[in-house]
Short mmCIF file of all heavy atoms in Angstrom, two decimals:
data_model
loop_
_atom_site.label_atom_id
_atom_site.label_comp_id
_atom_site.label_asym_id
_atom_site.label_seq_id
_atom_site.Cartn_x
_atom_site.Cartn_y
_atom_site.Cartn_z
N THR A 322 -22.31 -12.77 -8.53
CA THR A 322 -21.87 -12.10 -7.29
C THR A 322 -20.42 -12.47 -7.08
O THR A 322 -19.78 -13.21 -7.83
CB THR A 322 -22.76 -12.49 -6.07
OG1 THR A 322 -22.46 -11.66 -5.00
CG2 THR A 322 -22.53 -13.97 -5.66
N TRP A 326 -17.81 -8.72 -2.96
CA TRP A 326 -19.06 -7.87 -2.82
C TRP A 326 -19.80 -8.30 -1.56
O TRP A 326 -20.22 -7.46 -0.76
CB TRP A 326 -19.94 -8.09 -4.05
CG TRP A 326 -21.06 -7.07 -4.07
CD1 TRP A 326 -21.08 -5.89 -4.76
CD2 TRP A 326 -22.34 -7.12 -3.34
NE1 TRP A 326 -22.27 -5.24 -4.54
CE2 TRP A 326 -23.03 -5.92 -3.68
CE3 TRP A 326 -22.91 -8.02 -2.49
CZ2 TRP A 326 -24.30 -5.66 -3.15
CZ3 TRP A 326 -24.18 -7.75 -1.98
CH2 TRP A 326 -24.84 -6.56 -2.27
N ARG A 330 -20.24 -5.73 1.51
CA ARG A 330 -21.57 -5.15 1.68
C ARG A 330 -22.37 -5.74 2.84
O ARG A 330 -23.36 -5.14 3.31
CB ARG A 330 -22.41 -5.36 0.41
CG ARG A 330 -21.92 -4.56 -0.81
CD ARG A 330 -21.92 -3.08 -0.48
NE ARG A 330 -21.57 -2.31 -1.68
CZ ARG A 330 -22.49 -1.66 -2.41
NH1 ARG A 330 -23.75 -1.65 -2.09
NH2 ARG A 330 -22.08 -0.97 -3.46
N VAL A 405 -40.85 -12.21 12.80
CA VAL A 405 -39.76 -12.43 11.86
C VAL A 405 -38.46 -12.22 12.63
O VAL A 405 -38.18 -12.82 13.67
CB VAL A 405 -39.93 -11.65 10.60
CG1 VAL A 405 -39.07 -12.18 9.46
CG2 VAL A 405 -41.43 -11.72 10.14
N CYS A 406 -37.54 -11.31 12.11
CA CYS A 406 -36.24 -11.20 12.73
C CYS A 406 -36.31 -10.62 14.15
O CYS A 406 -35.33 -10.75 14.93
CB CYS A 406 -35.34 -10.31 11.88
SG CYS A 406 -35.00 -11.02 10.28
N ARG A 445 -29.72 -12.62 -6.67
CA ARG A 445 -28.49 -12.33 -5.89
C ARG A 445 -28.71 -11.28 -4.75
O ARG A 445 -27.92 -11.19 -3.87
CB ARG A 445 -27.41 -11.79 -6.84
CG ARG A 445 -27.74 -10.47 -7.47
CD ARG A 445 -26.57 -9.96 -8.29
NE ARG A 445 -26.84 -8.63 -8.85
CZ ARG A 445 -25.95 -7.90 -9.54
NH1 ARG A 445 -24.79 -8.41 -9.77
NH2 ARG A 445 -26.26 -6.73 -10.00
N VAL A 449 -27.72 -14.17 -0.90
CA VAL A 449 -26.43 -14.09 -0.16
C VAL A 449 -26.62 -13.81 1.31
O VAL A 449 -25.72 -13.93 2.13
CB VAL A 449 -25.53 -13.02 -0.78
CG1 VAL A 449 -25.26 -13.31 -2.28
CG2 VAL A 449 -26.08 -11.62 -0.62
N ILE A 484 -40.30 -6.53 3.31
CA ILE A 484 -39.71 -7.88 3.30
C ILE A 484 -40.93 -8.86 3.42
O ILE A 484 -41.64 -8.79 4.45
CB ILE A 484 -38.77 -8.16 4.54
CG1 ILE A 484 -37.76 -7.02 4.64
CG2 ILE A 484 -38.13 -9.50 4.40
CD1 ILE A 484 -37.16 -6.93 6.01
N MET A 507 -37.44 -8.58 -0.91
CA MET A 507 -36.95 -7.60 0.07
C MET A 507 -36.51 -6.31 -0.63
O MET A 507 -35.81 -6.33 -1.63
CB MET A 507 -35.78 -8.16 0.83
CG MET A 507 -35.17 -7.22 1.86
SD MET A 507 -34.01 -8.05 2.98
CE MET A 507 -32.61 -8.21 1.91
N GLY A 509 -34.09 -4.15 0.06
CA GLY A 509 -32.92 -4.13 0.96
C GLY A 509 -32.46 -2.74 1.37
O GLY A 509 -32.23 -2.48 2.55
N HIS A 510 -32.37 -1.88 0.36
CA HIS A 510 -31.84 -0.53 0.64
C HIS A 510 -32.75 0.26 1.59
O HIS A 510 -32.29 0.88 2.55
CB HIS A 510 -31.65 0.21 -0.69
CG HIS A 510 -30.63 1.25 -0.63
ND1 HIS A 510 -29.27 0.98 -0.50
CD2 HIS A 510 -30.73 2.63 -0.61
CE1 HIS A 510 -28.59 2.12 -0.44
NE2 HIS A 510 -29.45 3.11 -0.52
N ALA A 546 -27.94 -8.92 10.87
CA ALA A 546 -28.55 -8.80 9.51
C ALA A 546 -27.56 -8.30 8.49
O ALA A 546 -27.57 -8.81 7.38
CB ALA A 546 -29.73 -7.79 9.54
N ASN A 547 -26.68 -7.40 8.88
CA ASN A 547 -25.70 -6.82 7.98
C ASN A 547 -24.66 -6.13 8.89
O ASN A 547 -25.05 -5.31 9.71
CB ASN A 547 -26.40 -5.82 7.04
CG ASN A 547 -25.41 -5.28 5.99
OD1 ASN A 547 -24.24 -5.00 6.33
ND2 ASN A 547 -25.88 -5.12 4.81
N ARG A 549 -22.76 -3.80 8.25
CA ARG A 549 -22.74 -2.35 8.11
C ARG A 549 -23.87 -1.70 8.92
O ARG A 549 -23.71 -0.59 9.40
CB ARG A 549 -22.90 -1.98 6.61
CG ARG A 549 -21.61 -2.26 5.82
CD ARG A 549 -21.73 -1.73 4.44
NE ARG A 549 -22.78 -2.34 3.65
CZ ARG A 549 -23.69 -1.72 2.89
NH1 ARG A 549 -23.63 -0.41 2.78
NH2 ARG A 549 -24.60 -2.37 2.25
N ASN A 574 -27.80 -13.97 8.03
CA ASN A 574 -28.99 -13.53 8.80
C ASN A 574 -29.91 -14.78 9.05
O ASN A 574 -30.50 -15.29 8.09
CB ASN A 574 -29.74 -12.48 7.96
CG ASN A 574 -30.97 -11.96 8.65
OD1 ASN A 574 -31.46 -12.58 9.61
ND2 ASN A 574 -31.51 -10.87 8.15
N PHE A 604 -34.48 -5.92 14.42
CA PHE A 604 -35.50 -5.37 13.54
C PHE A 604 -35.75 -6.39 12.45
O PHE A 604 -34.95 -7.28 12.20
CB PHE A 604 -35.06 -4.03 12.91
CG PHE A 604 -33.99 -4.30 11.91
CD1 PHE A 604 -34.27 -4.47 10.56
CD2 PHE A 604 -32.68 -4.39 12.30
CE1 PHE A 604 -33.28 -4.76 9.65
CE2 PHE A 604 -31.69 -4.69 11.42
CZ PHE A 604 -31.98 -4.88 10.05
N GLY A 605 -36.91 -6.30 11.80
CA GLY A 605 -37.17 -7.25 10.72
C GLY A 605 -38.47 -7.00 10.03
O GLY A 605 -39.10 -5.94 10.24
N SER A 606 -38.85 -7.94 9.23
CA SER A 606 -40.10 -7.86 8.48
C SER A 606 -41.25 -7.53 9.39
O SER A 606 -41.34 -7.97 10.51
CB SER A 606 -40.29 -9.17 7.76
OG SER A 606 -41.57 -9.28 7.17
N1 LIG B 49 -23.66 -9.37 -5.63
C1 LIG B 49 -23.28 -8.36 -6.45
N2 LIG B 49 -24.02 -7.27 -6.66
C2 LIG B 49 -25.18 -7.21 -5.96
C3 LIG B 49 -25.63 -8.17 -5.09
C4 LIG B 49 -24.80 -9.32 -4.94
N3 LIG B 49 -25.14 -10.34 -4.11
N4 LIG B 49 -26.85 -7.83 -4.56
C5 LIG B 49 -27.11 -6.62 -5.11
N5 LIG B 49 -26.16 -6.25 -5.92
C6 LIG B 49 -26.06 -5.00 -6.72
C7 LIG B 49 -27.46 -4.48 -7.01
O1 LIG B 49 -28.01 -5.08 -8.18
C8 LIG B 49 -27.07 -3.00 -7.30
O2 LIG B 49 -26.58 -2.89 -8.61
P1 LIG B 49 -26.97 -1.60 -9.54
O3 LIG B 49 -26.41 -0.44 -8.82
O4 LIG B 49 -26.29 -1.94 -10.80
O5 LIG B 49 -28.48 -1.62 -9.63
C9 LIG B 49 -25.92 -2.73 -6.36
O6 LIG B 49 -25.43 -4.02 -5.98
C10 LIG B 49 -26.33 -1.99 -5.08
O7 LIG B 49 -27.55 -2.58 -4.56
P2 LIG B 49 -28.16 -2.17 -3.19
O8 LIG B 49 -29.43 -2.95 -2.98
O9 LIG B 49 -28.25 -0.67 -3.11
O10 LIG B 49 -27.02 -2.68 -2.18
P3 LIG B 49 -26.87 -2.38 -0.68
O11 LIG B 49 -25.55 -1.75 -0.42
O12 LIG B 49 -28.08 -1.73 -0.11
O13 LIG B 49 -26.78 -3.85 -0.08
C11 LIG B 49 -28.19 -5.40 1.09
C12 LIG B 49 -27.83 -4.76 -0.29
C13 LIG B 49 -27.00 -6.21 1.56
C14 LIG B 49 -29.41 -6.26 0.90
C15 LIG B 49 -28.49 -4.28 2.11
O14 LIG B 49 -29.40 -3.33 1.56
C16 LIG B 49 -29.09 -4.80 3.38
O15 LIG B 49 -28.45 -5.56 4.15
N6 LIG B 49 -30.33 -4.36 3.73
C17 LIG B 49 -31.00 -4.76 4.93
C18 LIG B 49 -31.55 -6.12 4.81
C19 LIG B 49 -32.11 -6.54 6.13
O16 LIG B 49 -31.45 -6.40 7.11
N7 LIG B 49 -33.35 -7.02 6.20
C20 LIG B 49 -34.03 -7.11 7.44
C21 LIG B 49 -34.08 -8.39 8.05
S1 LIG B 49 -34.63 -9.64 7.05
C22 LIG B 49 -36.09 -10.31 7.73
O17 LIG B 49 -36.74 -9.74 8.52
C23 LIG B 49 -36.50 -11.63 7.24
#
Side-chain angles (χ1 to χ4, degrees):
T322 191
W326 192 96
R330 292 301 186 104
V405 199
C406 296
R445 67 176 183 175
V449 302
I484 310 158
M507 180 169 75
H510 205 69
N547 183 320
R549 288 187 297 136
N574 180 346
F604 71 93
S606 169

